[in-house]
Amino acid sequence: MFGPVIEGARVRLEPPRPEWSPTYQRWLADMEVTRYLVQRNPPSLRQEEELLEKVAEDPTRVVWGIVLKDGGKLIGVIGLDKIDWRLRDAESGIMIGDRSEWRHGHASEAMRLRTEYAFMELGLRKIWTGVDMPNVGSRRALEKAGYRQCGVMRRHFFVNGQWVDVWMAEIHREDWRRAREATCSAP
């Protein structure tokens, strides 16, 4: 399913639009953008459009485009995947596809918005993710958004000719709520 519009300070999460498919396709063809993704080969335009249709119907996924509030520029995609409605958890993922927008804090903000939606609207109790150890930027963004390490999967992913460890992280609803209350009550 597509997520609703969620406003942040600098970014807005919006439901994906069909006209964004060529942009997603271009990002997925960029080896620098996809170096830490499982998918390393770009889909055809038709495949990308079909994927958006499948996601819209899938009750175990929620996906958004990440758009800059100032100017409306599409810079990435974020979502929840493998939502388990019984266990009330989900895997999270993000891709800032526009390389000119890397290292500007957009990922952290988008992650915070996604996390709040997962806990406050979907009623999830935990969100988890895995990040290749060399992907320091994603790990930092997740930590800024409140995620904490819960394990390491050794030599789990093959990147640039070598096996790398995967940093596993999670955020629990009660930890997120405590951190949020502490931030709101700070002078």
Side-chain angles (χ1 to χ4, degrees), residues 48-75:
E48 185 63 36
E49 291 166 347
E50 288 172 355
L51 176 63
L52 279 180
E53 288 180 24
K54 287 178 186 172
V55 168
E57 298 170 0
D58 188 344
T60 66
R61 298 177 81 180
V62 181
V63 177
W64 294 270
I66 305 169
V67 176
L68 294 180
K69 280 182 70 172
D70 187 22
K73 176 183 175 187
L74 176 68
I75 64 165

Side-chain angles (χ1 to χ4, degrees), residues 18-146:
E19 61 266 23
W20 290 348
S21 291
T23 303
Y24 293 146
Q25 183 191 36
R26 187 177 70 253
W27 292 341
L28 292 170
D30 185 332
M31 293 287 283
E32 187 67 16
V33 171
T34 64
R35 74 181 153 167
Y36 298 120
L37 298 180
V38 173
Q39 182 176 345
R40 297 293 312 264
N41 300 306
S44 70
L45 186 55
R46 192 172 110 238
Q47 287 172 318
E48 185 63 36
E49 291 166 347
E50 288 172 355
L51 176 63
L52 279 180
E53 288 180 24
K54 287 178 186 172
V55 168
E57 298 170 0
D58 188 344
T60 66
R61 298 177 81 180
V62 181
V63 177
W64 294 270
I66 305 169
V67 176
L68 294 180
K69 280 182 70 172
D70 187 22
K73 176 183 175 187
L74 176 68
I75 64 165
V77 63
I78 191 167
L80 298 165
D81 198 18
K82 300 176 187 163
I83 298 172
D84 185 319
W85 295 107
R86 183 174 163 271
L87 297 178
R88 311 226 44 90
D89 68 8
E91 181 178 15
S92 67
I94 187 170
M95 176 180 69
I96 302 295
D98 185 331
R99 288 199 271 160
S100 70
E101 298 299 336
W102 287 2
R103 292 178 286 284
H104 293 288
H106 302 313
S108 296
E109 182 177 357
M111 289 172 182
R112 282 192 297 272
L113 295 170
R114 174 196 59 205
T115 301
E116 181 174 357
Y117 178 80
F119 292 147
M120 298 301 290
E121 296 297 325
L122 299 181
L124 299 183
R125 66 172 184 87
K126 177 175 82 169
I127 305 168
W128 55 275
T129 193
V131 175
D132 297 349
M133 282 292 205
N135 192 350
V136 176
S138 283
R139 286 187 304 161
R140 276 194 208 128
L142 284 159
E143 289 172 334
K144 285 180 188 176

Side-chain angles (χ1 to χ4, degrees), residues 5 13 15 52 68 77 83 91 137 146 153 170-171 177 182:
V5 174
L13 305 185
L52 279 180
L68 294 180
V77 63
I83 298 172
E91 181 178 15
M153 297 174 73
E170 64 186 6
I171 184 167
R177 180 167 282 157

Side-chain angles (χ1 to χ4, degrees), residues 164-175:
V164 297
D165 295 346
V166 172
W167 180 79
M168 298 301 297
E170 64 186 6
I171 184 167
H172 288 256
R173 180 187 187 120
E174 60 270 13
D175 296 334

